[in-house]
Amino acid sequence: MGTTQLESVPEPKYWHLKTVLSEALDSEFSVGEILPNERDLAARFGVARATLRQALEQLELEGRLQRRRGVGTTVAPPRVGVALGTEQHTWPGAAGDAWQPVDCATEVPPAAVATALETGAQEPVHTVRRSRRTNGQPVAAELLYVSESAVPDLSAIDAPSGSARARAVLRELQRLELEGQESAVELGSARADDAKQLDRLPGSPVLVVTTRFNAGGRTAALSVATYRADTCRLTFGDSGGVEIHQGPERQAS
């Protein structure tokens, strides 16, 4: 990365620096490569470290960089897409579902979830934890809440917890006739538990996709999926469900 002194420009200095850094990422660095430390970068571009930090933070928000614990700042792979479809509706765990079940427990859900599932305030529900990876890295974590009345035959399952019980819940869900599903998306900040699963720092930007699965005239299951905002982008179409796929974004080289 060559030395480039920044000239006076009408835009904020950190924004101009972000553009210069972005061009350098495209031409001089490969995906996964670690950037020089902040002191060296600030000296090369003739800016204060505070200005450099602002530029790096913006590039991280745009998905160009990743900050990894114990590693440093690395060049990010191309963003993946979170496609919100409208035509095909399927239960979680159906054929082609890329989510991997991690665990399942019976516990009292948050009040908002209890209201959506029409359960009592202190009535436990099945909570299935699933994860999703792409390019070898975690990109999403999901909490799938299922009311006990929606899967009454689960009492015969021997596994009290773990991925085996999670798969059993998903199998029982698929016995129901899915009447429809509704998804909503919002920008949020990673909580401590989400950040740990996604290999991010607490407070990092995330996309939260909440999906209701309806059967029997009510919400039988509620999914709260948290996606890394630095590696995911929203796409809209009729492909169905929530799908991660490689986007046509630029490749760093």
Side-chain angles (χ1 to χ4, degrees):
M1 190 178 290
T3 302
T4 305
Q5 295 293 329
L6 301 180
E7 300 177 355
S8 297
V9 290
E11 61 190 356
K13 183 174 286 189
Y14 83 88
W15 194 265
H16 183 60
L17 175 60
K18 183 208 73 164
T19 302
V20 174
L21 285 170
S22 184
E23 293 173 352
L25 293 179
D26 285 335
S27 62
E28 301 178 29
F29 287 82
S30 59
V31 170
E33 188 169 349
I34 302 173
L35 265 62
N37 61 45
E38 290 185 358
R39 179 180 299 176
D40 290 345
L41 285 176
R44 289 180 183 183
F45 288 97
V47 298
R49 290 179 68 176
T51 301
L52 175 68
R53 250 182 233 114
Q54 285 182 294
L56 293 177
E57 288 172 357
Q58 187 62 39
L59 286 170
E60 184 182 14
L61 286 173
E62 294 178 4
R64 298 302 313 272
L65 298 176
Q66 293 178 352
R67 295 184 183 183
R68 302 172 58 190
R69 294 187 186 90
V71 176
T73 301
T74 62
V75 180
R79 283 181 184 255
V80 293
V82 180
L84 301 181
T86 58
E87 287 187 342
Q88 300 176 3
H89 291 169
T90 58
W91 287 111
D97 189 339
W99 289 90
Q100 296 300 314
V102 176
D103 194 11
C104 180
T106 302
E107 54 194 25
V108 176
V113 174
T115 299
L117 295 178
E118 300 179 24
T119 61
Q122 297 301 313
E123 183 179 339
V125 302
H126 301 292
T127 304
V128 176
R129 291 172 173 82
R130 302 198 298 167
S131 65
R132 198 160 184 181
R133 303 175 69 87
T134 189
N135 292 326
Q137 67 178 0
V139 294
E142 180 196 50
L143 290 176
L144 178 67
Y145 301 97
V146 183
S147 65
E148 290 190 320
S149 61
V151 288
D153 292 338
L154 201 65
S155 58
I157 303 299
D158 293 334
S161 62
S163 59
R165 189 167 182 89
R167 286 190 289 270
V169 171
L170 298 177
R171 283 197 301 269
E172 290 301 314
L173 266 181
Q174 291 165 39
R175 297 177 186 273
L176 303 176
E177 182 179 351
L178 180 61
E179 296 171 349
Q181 64 190 60
E182 305 167 0
S183 294
V185 184
E186 61 184 327
L187 182 65
S189 299
R191 301 172 302 173
D193 53 345
D194 293 328
K196 184 177 181 180
Q197 292 184 66
L198 298 175
D199 192 25
R200 304 293 291 137
L201 296 174
S204 298
V206 293
L207 298 172
V208 181
V209 180
T210 303
T211 305
R212 292 172 178 253
F213 296 90
N214 303 316
R218 56 175 289 187
T219 300
L222 181 73
S223 163
V224 180
T226 303
Y227 293 82
R228 289 177 51 156
D230 63 321
T231 60
C232 297
R233 59 188 176 84
L234 294 180
T235 61
F236 297 87
D238 295 328
S239 57
V242 178
E243 178 186 356
I244 292 183
H245 58 83
Q246 289 294 336
E249 306 297 322
R250 49 85 191 126
Q251 295 278 351
S253 57

